[in-house]
Amino acid sequence: VVTRNASINITDKYNKNVTFIKSPVFNVIPDFNITQPENGHTAVANETYNIQWSSTGVGPTNVVLEYSTDAQLGEGATWNYVVGGDHNTTNDGSESWNVPGATLSENSRVRIKDPGYTNASNEGLNYFYLRGRINVTRPAGGENWQVGTPESINWSVKGNILKVNISYYDGSVWNVIRT
C-alpha cells in the first residue's frame, strides 16, 4: 500500500517483554512503468496517441503525465503537461493524448508522476518520435495528366512542417519537381 506513514516494528517472537524497535517513519511509493510511447514509437502531430503505463502498489488514484521534446536522457529537459486543468488523470494505465504539433522531435519522452510523492516517477525508456504528416490531396488517384499540361499538386500537413520537397515517380526513378 502506498503511504507516507510506513514504519517497521521488530519484537522478539517468543518473549513479548523484550524491548521492541520501531523505525522512523518512511514513505512507500508506487512503481510506474511507461510502456508507450518509448523505444522509437511514433506519435503524429495533431492526432490522438494512447499513452500507456503500468503501476505497482495500491494507490495513487491520480497521476500526472508530462512530455518533453528536448529530453536528453535525464538532463535538463523542458517538460509540458499532457492533461490540462489540474494536470491530473486517473491512474488507469491509459490516457488519450492530443499530440501537439508546434515542435517536432526525434528526442521526445513521456514521464509519469504521483502528484503526492515527488520521488515516485518514471520516464519512458529511450526516445520516441514526435513527427508531422503530409497528405497528398491532389492528385487523388486515377487522374490522367497530359504531358506538358500544368497541374496543381495539393497537400495538407499535420505539425510544424515548414518546407517540402516534391518529386514524382515515372515507373523507374524519382524525378525532382521542386525543393
Side-chain angles (χ1 to χ4, degrees):
V1 175
V2 174
T3 181
R4 289 181 185 240
N5 296 310
S7 66
I8 303 293
N9 188 26
I10 301 173
T11 60
D12 184 327
K13 181 177 180 179
Y14 301 107
N15 184 351
K16 302 292 183 199
N17 295 323
V18 172
T19 304
F20 68 91
I21 305 292
K22 183 176 178 186
S23 75
V25 174
F26 61 94
N27 296 329
V28 176
I29 62 176
D31 182 36
F32 298 114
N33 181 31
I34 296 285
T35 56
Q36 286 192 36
E38 64 177 7
N39 289 327
H41 291 137
T42 298
V44 177
N46 306 116
E47 292 186 3
T48 301
Y49 187 92
N50 195 27
I51 298 172
Q52 296 180 2
W53 69 91
S54 62
S55 176
T56 304
V58 177
T61 55
N62 290 317
V63 295
V64 173
L65 295 168
E66 298 172 310
Y67 73 95
S68 174
T69 57
D70 64 355
Q72 296 299 317
L73 293 175
E75 298 178 20
T78 305
W79 293 95
N80 306 285
Y81 293 109
V82 169
V83 177
D86 67 359
H87 312 300
N88 290 327
T89 188
T90 305
N91 184 17
D92 60 4
S94 180
E95 177 67 25
S96 182
W97 177 34
N98 294 318
V99 180
T103 303
L104 305 179
S105 172
E106 303 290 304
N107 298 315
S108 300
R109 296 188 73 174
V110 167
R111 79 176 169 193
I112 185 171
K113 299 189 308 186
D114 179 340
Y117 296 89
T118 57
N119 293 332
S121 67
N122 176 261
E123 290 182 23
L125 294 174
N126 298 316
Y127 302 117
F128 73 91
Y129 305 115
L130 200 160
R131 294 192 172 149
R133 177 168 284 158
I134 301 170
N135 294 313
V136 175
T137 56
R138 185 167 193 276
E143 294 93 339
N144 293 306
W145 287 6
Q146 192 169 7
V147 173
T149 303
E151 296 287 350
S152 295
I153 299 170
N154 301 327
W155 64 91
S156 62
V157 299
K158 291 184 177 183
N160 191 16
I161 298 173
L162 301 177
K163 293 183 178 186
V164 297
N165 295 322
I166 303 172
S167 304
Y168 77 96
Y169 185 70
D170 66 9
S172 60
V173 296
W174 285 99
N175 300 280
V176 175
I177 296 174
R178 180 168 295 182
T179 59

